[in-house]
Amino acid sequence: MADNTYEADGVKIAVEGCGHGTLDAIYSSVAASCKARGWDGVDLLIIGGDFQATRNAADLSVMSVPAKYRELGDFPAYYSGDKTAPYLTIFIAGNHEASSYLWELYYGGWVAPNIYYLGAANVLRFGPLRIAGMSGIWKGFDYRKPHHERLPFSHDDIKSFYHVREIDVRKLLLLREQVDVGLSHDWPRAIENHGNANALWKMKPDFRQESIDGTLGNPAAEYVMDRLRPAYWFSAHMHCKFAAVKTYETPSVTKAFTDTETGKQDQPAVVPVLEPPSQPAANPDEIDLDMEDDEGDQPQAQPTDDSTSVVPSSTTTTSGGVSDELRAQLPASFSKPEPPQPKVNPGQPVPPTITNTTTRFLALDKCLPGRKFIQLCSATPVKPPPTTTKPPYRLQYDPEWLAITRVFAQYLTIGDRTAQTPPNLGESAYQPMIDKERAWVDEIIVSAGKLDVPENFTITAAPHRPGVDPKTVDYQPDEYTNPQTSTFCDLLGVPNLWDASPEERAERKANGPPAAEPRHHQSGGFRGGRGGGNRGGGNRGGFNRGRGRGRGGWRGGGGYRGGRNI
């Protein structure tokens, strides 16, 4: 029985919404929840973003928050070693983070002992579970840009650092092995259609119109969820608790994306998402996450995103008595155009190796009294691993993700504002490259027993000095080479783009931040939500709203709440 602990009881996980620097309160809440449930603790704590790993006051200067609301929070004590996290903690980034620190850890790493940042995108193993995460929020005008931000940051850089990039999402959409847990800061687009949307409108009335417009949530997170189909998906950002269940058809066991003999790409079949049932279905509050929401019946069926619908093709007919033989003799310009191809979301079709058909979604609030920000759950893998595991579980690298990381290392650029994101070659082109690198990973890393994430946390920037008022610090932090990133790049044999000589960094610092970009372009792209600025009588977001209806903003009651787009 002991060898199958994960099957009987699951991995004990606590999930928290937005952190906002309140680590002490979060850990106390987890302990209290465990006591109430009769648990002696949890194996893992997951925080859904806005973690705010500020090492010192300088880090606050490049966090997207007005100066008068700058607070160091609880993290400096964990960074300096004065306190230690009582539970293994992992987190993804949101849109209010210590970007100068997280920049050092693009591939992920320990921000403090027992606290691990997943990086811009990552897949890790924890015991029997496979966990995938993507950091940041959606903003369409930055989605196809490379990671051009590098200290010192401009005002635009401070915001754009948190915006999801296609190059990171592309890697997640090439996964072909089943994932158990998915993480994103903002919600996958249209997930509200798979839960009790009417209850959501009562909590957040402004969300209704965005849902109708198709602009509520993150399209990239939707792509990743629909590709990976994990058993569980956790988000934060919207500052409310909401549950949903999204169901899918079983992936078609057809010929894969590429004909290995000819090298030609097959026409992908559309793998549609099942509509919510027209009759009330099982309440998502009753899923194996111990929901406690007072939500009513499930909503009626609503249309899915039209980007996954098949465009009807017109029927080929002959008209005017003209025979097919005569038509064949006409010039090519007279030929009937080919019917339009189905419009398929990125990451589709799903490979048959991903078998799960039900994803249980849960979003949580931020850590404040009276809010629903903590959830305990026992998570079990979709596919039991070939070898049994039991606590204490170890955080490990994922072989498939390491292979994908090796493939894409050649395409990455950091800090170059003139660079362009390389074009997407398509899954049929990337898959042989990934297979080749997977063989390398199996031989060099897996066989050598090097999958365990090393506990190699190292202090880079000096910890906070008591007596320094964060609101008065007007200088940006220095850039550092994080030894963890160096070790990871050495393990994979890839370049460390986050390293630089002291002379190069001194020159960049002396040159100062880059000039601000023209603002007119920022209305383009998919609308990822509004907010920011001083709108006065607006109804959410903003710096001084007062009503407290915003999301993704700074902690506290009234005052600055922040919009989802900064």
Side-chain angles (χ1 to χ4, degrees):
M1 189 69 170
D3 289 341
N4 296 313
T5 302
Y6 72 87
E7 294 183 33
D9 303 321
V11 179
K12 294 180 179 179
I13 295 178
V15 185
E16 195 273 339
C18 297
H20 290 292
T22 59
L23 279 177
D24 291 348
I26 291 171
Y27 289 133
S28 295
S29 298
V30 172
S33 298
C34 288
K35 182 178 180 181
R37 185 157 177 170
W39 286 6
D40 58 359
V42 294
D43 301 312
L44 181 68
L45 167 63
I46 298 172
I47 297 179
D50 288 351
F51 182 87
Q52 297 174 2
T54 50
R55 301 164 293 186
N56 51 43
D59 279 341
L60 284 173
S61 70
V62 289
M63 188 164 76
S64 184
V65 60
K68 66 179 180 178
Y69 294 108
R70 290 177 183 171
E71 295 182 20
L72 281 168
D74 303 327
F75 179 75
Y78 294 88
Y79 177 72
S80 66
D82 291 341
K83 295 181 181 179
T84 302
Y87 314 105
L88 174 61
T89 304
I90 64 174
F91 71 96
I92 53 173
N95 56 314
H96 299 288
E97 302 288 0
S99 53
S100 51
Y101 191 13
L102 301 190
W103 180 90
E104 302 174 10
L105 299 169
Y106 170 83
Y107 286 125
W110 303 101
V111 296
N114 221 29
I115 304 177
Y116 194 90
Y117 167 52
L118 265 67
N122 207 341
V123 180
L124 292 173
R125 293 179 181 268
F126 182 68
L129 299 179
R130 196 165 183 242
I131 303 172
M134 53 185 291
S135 289
I137 62 169
W138 174 265
K139 204 59 181 170
F141 59 77
D142 280 330
Y143 183 57
R144 300 192 184 279
K145 294 180 182 179
H147 292 278
H148 61 262
E149 302 86 358
R150 189 159 192 172
L151 287 169
F153 288 166
S154 69
H155 181 72
D156 290 335
D157 292 341
I158 291 173
K159 296 174 173 58
S160 66
F161 179 85
Y162 309 117
H163 297 161
V164 175
R165 303 300 162 87
E166 187 274 337
I167 192 70
D168 302 317
V169 173
R170 192 187 308 179
K171 295 191 290 184
L172 289 167
L173 295 179
L174 289 170
L175 290 166
R176 299 176 64 84
E177 299 174 11
Q178 182 68 58
V179 166
D180 302 300
V181 178
L183 308 173
S184 64
H185 183 59
D186 47 355
W187 301 7
R189 181 179 58 180
I191 192 64
E192 72 278 5
N193 296 329
H194 302 272
N196 192 336
N198 289 330
L200 180 62
W201 310 152
K202 292 179 181 178
M203 291 187 289
K204 303 283 186 177
D206 300 317
F207 289 6
R208 180 193 292 270
Q209 188 58 49
E210 287 190 15
S211 178
I212 293 172
D213 297 340
T215 59
L216 181 62
N218 183 334
E222 177 193 25
Y223 304 155
V224 176
M225 172 186 274
D226 290 349
R227 167 70 176 210
L228 305 186
R229 302 183 177 186
Y232 313 91
W233 189 284
F234 301 114
S235 295
H237 192 47
M238 306 293 199
H239 292 173
C240 65
K241 184 176 182 180
F242 180 75
V245 177
K246 191 168 187 178
T247 55
Y248 304 90
E249 289 183 347
T250 302
S252 176
V253 185
T254 59
K255 200 173 184 181
F257 301 89
T258 303
D259 188 320
T260 56
E261 294 180 0
T262 65
K264 295 182 179 179
Q265 186 173 0
D266 293 339
Q267 174 62 42
V270 175
V271 182
V273 175
L274 293 181
E275 302 283 351
S278 58
Q279 298 297 325
N283 193 324
D285 297 346
E286 299 174 358
I287 66 178
D288 187 22
L289 290 173
D290 300 320
M291 297 300 158
E292 297 174 357
D293 290 4
D294 294 326
E295 299 178 352
D297 293 333
Q298 287 287 84
Q300 299 298 311
Q302 298 189 25
T304 56
D305 190 292
D306 60 4
S307 61
T308 57
S309 61
V310 180
V311 180
S313 57
S314 54
T315 305
T316 302
T317 59
T318 57
S319 59
V322 180
S323 67
D324 290 340
E325 290 78 6
L326 287 176
R327 287 183 178 276
Q329 300 176 30
L330 293 173
S333 59
F334 285 84
S335 300
K336 190 176 184 66
E338 292 292 329
Q341 297 298 325
K343 187 177 181 181
V344 183
N345 269 352
Q348 299 296 323
V350 175
T353 45
I354 295 176
T355 59
N356 187 50
T357 57
T358 301
T359 296
R360 301 168 177 181
F361 171 83
L362 178 66
L364 291 166
D365 208 330
K366 59 180 176 178
C367 181
L368 282 177
R371 302 292 190 95
K372 296 178 179 179
F373 61 89
I374 285 286
Q375 184 72 55
L376 302 185
C377 68
S378 297
T380 55
V382 175
K383 296 180 179 180
T387 58
T388 57
T389 57
K390 59 182 179 180
Y393 303 117
R394 301 187 306 275
L395 202 61
Q396 294 183 310
Y397 297 125
D398 180 79
E400 184 184 19
W401 183 254
L402 294 182
I404 293 172
T405 301
R406 273 181 56 86
V407 168
F408 277 83
Q410 62 185 307
Y411 302 119
L412 283 178
T413 57
I414 297 295
D416 184 353
R417 309 187 80 83
T418 65
Q420 298 291 322
T421 299
N424 191 333
L425 303 180
E427 187 162 354
S428 60
Y430 289 125
Q431 198 54 53
M433 301 163 67
I434 296 171
D435 291 341
K436 177 182 177 182
E437 298 302 339
R438 179 62 182 269
W440 184 95
V441 169
D442 288 341
E443 178 184 358
I444 303 301
I445 297 177
V446 178
S447 297
K450 297 180 179 179
L451 283 179
D452 286 0
V453 175
E455 297 181 4
N456 58 347
F457 165 72
T458 305
I459 288 179
T460 49
H464 174 64
R465 300 194 312 272
V468 176
D469 184 358
K471 297 181 178 64
T472 64
V473 173
D474 59 357
Y475 56 86
Q476 294 196 18
D478 291 330
E479 179 183 296
Y480 299 91
T481 297
N482 198 298
Q484 296 180 75
T485 299
S486 299
T487 300
F488 181 82
C489 291
D490 289 344
L491 175 69
L492 281 191
V494 299
N496 182 1
L497 304 181
W498 299 264
D499 191 19
S501 67
E503 294 76 17
E504 179 184 348
R505 284 174 171 154
E507 179 181 1
R508 188 181 298 110
K509 186 174 183 178
N511 291 336
E517 296 183 10
R519 307 295 293 182
H520 63 83
H521 73 287
Q522 296 196 357
S523 62
F526 189 96
R527 184 162 56 90
R530 301 177 294 277
N534 293 289
R535 295 192 180 178
N539 62 358
R540 72 180 192 280
F543 290 164
N544 292 291
R545 293 225 183 240
R547 291 178 58 186
R549 297 268 291 268
R551 67 264 194 159
W554 194 242
R555 60 177 176 165
Y560 170 71
R561 303 289 293 183
R564 287 184 290 129
N565 63 337
I566 59 175

